[in-house]
């Protein structure tokens, strides 16, 4: 059986999973009651990302993110081929909310400020309810939440839900990317470009062993081991 006709799962590092996917639809729905709603997800292609930081700047401007904090990081992941410095290569890793189908931040929030929107699958924060206790920050295994120094409430990426999605626009990071390394769409739509790409590419997600069901997919970079301790 050829690789393109089968699905193979292999472990990489401490809990990343690589999927070799054929034509079947590999995207499990965590809650069947949400099957008719949208489940927004994102794909970051590490083979195309050049680390230009345009997405970070666009996110900051669009969502009025204060200085000193960020909803999004593009981190250089240095790899050494054969441990020879002259062969060192760089690829880039996106660190942002992965919008879990089973989010730990929601389950620990004492006020209900952290929640997952059933209509979109987006994990978000109700800033009016947040008391800044930091429980969600401690519970998040992806280290992507922070306390906004202006509002004093928890914050993170929400796919530009209020600033762009409500206007029918793509998230700022996706629209600005000069190399088209980001792909955004509905994981419940088998005809979407996002789902078709995931079904036909080698992809991975971080820390699946935790049962969080993250909706940030990644096409692995060309060089060396994927170092998932950054996420």
């Amino acid at each position: 059986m050829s690789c393109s006709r089968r699905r193979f799962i292999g472990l990489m590092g401490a809990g990343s999973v690589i999927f070799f996917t054929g034509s079947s639809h590999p995207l499990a729905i965590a809650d069947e009651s949400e099957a008719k709603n949208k489940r927004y997800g994102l794909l970051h292609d590490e083979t195309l990302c050049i680390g230009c930081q345009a997405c970070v700047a666009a996110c900051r401007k669009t969502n009025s993110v204060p200085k000193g904090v960020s909803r999004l990081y593009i981190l250089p992941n240095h790899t050494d081929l054969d441990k020879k410095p002259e062969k060192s290569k760089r690829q880039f890793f996106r660190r942002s909310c992965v919008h879990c189908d089973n989010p730990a931040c929601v389950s620990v929030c004492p006020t209900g400020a952290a929640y997952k929107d059933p209509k979109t699958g987006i994990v978000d924060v109700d800033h009016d309810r947040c008391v800044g206790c930091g429980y969600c920050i401690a519970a998040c295994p992806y280290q992507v939440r922070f306390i906004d120094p202006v509002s004093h409430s928890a914050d993170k990426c929400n796919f530009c839900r209020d600033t762009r999605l409500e206007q029918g626009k793509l998230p700022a990071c996706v629209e600005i990317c000069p190399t088209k390394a980001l792909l955004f769409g509905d994981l419940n739509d088998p005809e979407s470009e996002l789902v078709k790409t995931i079904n036909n590419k080698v992809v991975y997600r971080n820390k699946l062993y935790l049962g969080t069901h993250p909706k940030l997919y990644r096409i692995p970079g060309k060089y060396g081991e994927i170092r998932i301790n950054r996420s």
Side-chain angles (χ1 to χ4, degrees):
M1 183 180 297
S2 67
C3 184
S4 63
R5 302 285 297 178
R6 69 184 180 184
R7 182 181 178 196
F8 171 79
I9 300 177
L11 293 179
M12 291 190 64
S16 283
V17 174
I18 288 283
F19 293 94
F20 295 82
T21 56
S23 59
S24 61
H25 185 6
L27 307 173
I29 297 172
D31 185 346
E32 293 295 336
S33 67
E34 299 177 8
K36 294 183 180 180
N37 295 325
K38 294 184 182 296
R39 280 174 66 240
Y40 285 125
L42 187 69
L43 175 71
H44 180 225
D45 189 338
E46 295 175 358
T47 68
L48 296 179
C49 181
I50 58 174
C52 68
Q53 307 293 321
C55 56
V56 178
C59 172
R60 181 175 299 281
K61 180 178 179 180
T62 299
N63 299 292
S64 302
V65 180
K67 291 183 179 180
V69 292
S70 183
R71 290 183 169 193
L72 165 63
Y73 295 91
I74 298 296
L75 303 171
N77 180 14
H78 295 273
T79 61
D80 297 322
L81 301 183
D82 300 325
K83 299 186 182 302
K84 296 179 180 179
E86 65 273 15
K87 292 186 177 182
S88 178
K89 302 289 184 179
R90 286 206 307 172
Q91 56 197 36
F92 297 91
F93 182 92
R94 176 186 172 107
R95 191 175 82 186
S96 65
C97 180
V98 299
H99 293 279
C100 303
D101 271 331
N102 184 27
C105 57
V106 172
S107 62
V108 301
C109 180
T111 66
Y115 69 100
K116 186 180 77 167
D117 179 14
K119 294 182 179 180
T120 63
I122 292 174
V123 178
D124 212 339
V125 180
D126 183 334
H127 299 289
D128 292 331
R129 288 189 172 189
C130 182
V131 295
C133 66
Y135 286 1
C136 62
I137 295 174
C140 175
Y142 300 98
Q143 302 172 10
V144 295
R145 285 177 167 255
F146 59 89
I147 297 295
D148 185 302
V150 176
S151 68
H152 305 292
S153 70
D155 199 15
K156 60 169 199 62
C157 162
N158 67 351
F159 287 149
C160 296
R161 179 185 174 192
D162 305 316
T163 53
R164 294 184 61 86
L165 288 190
E166 288 186 352
Q167 303 171 31
K169 298 178 181 180
L170 291 171
C173 60
V174 177
E175 185 168 284
I176 198 70
C177 182
T179 63
K180 307 303 179 185
L182 294 170
L183 187 59
F184 176 78
D186 181 7
L187 293 168
N188 280 352
D189 179 6
E191 298 303 315
S192 69
E193 185 180 357
L194 175 63
V195 171
K196 288 181 178 179
T197 302
I198 291 171
N199 278 337
N200 290 283
K201 294 285 187 177
V202 176
V203 301
Y204 77 100
R205 290 180 290 165
N206 286 158
K207 302 181 181 179
L208 287 180
Y209 64 92
L210 295 175
T212 52
H213 302 290
K215 296 195 291 292
L216 173 54
Y217 289 75
R218 308 169 193 271
I219 294 177
K222 299 177 181 179
Y223 306 108
E225 180 182 358
I226 300 163
R227 300 180 182 178
I228 64 168
N229 62 322
R230 294 184 184 272
S231 169

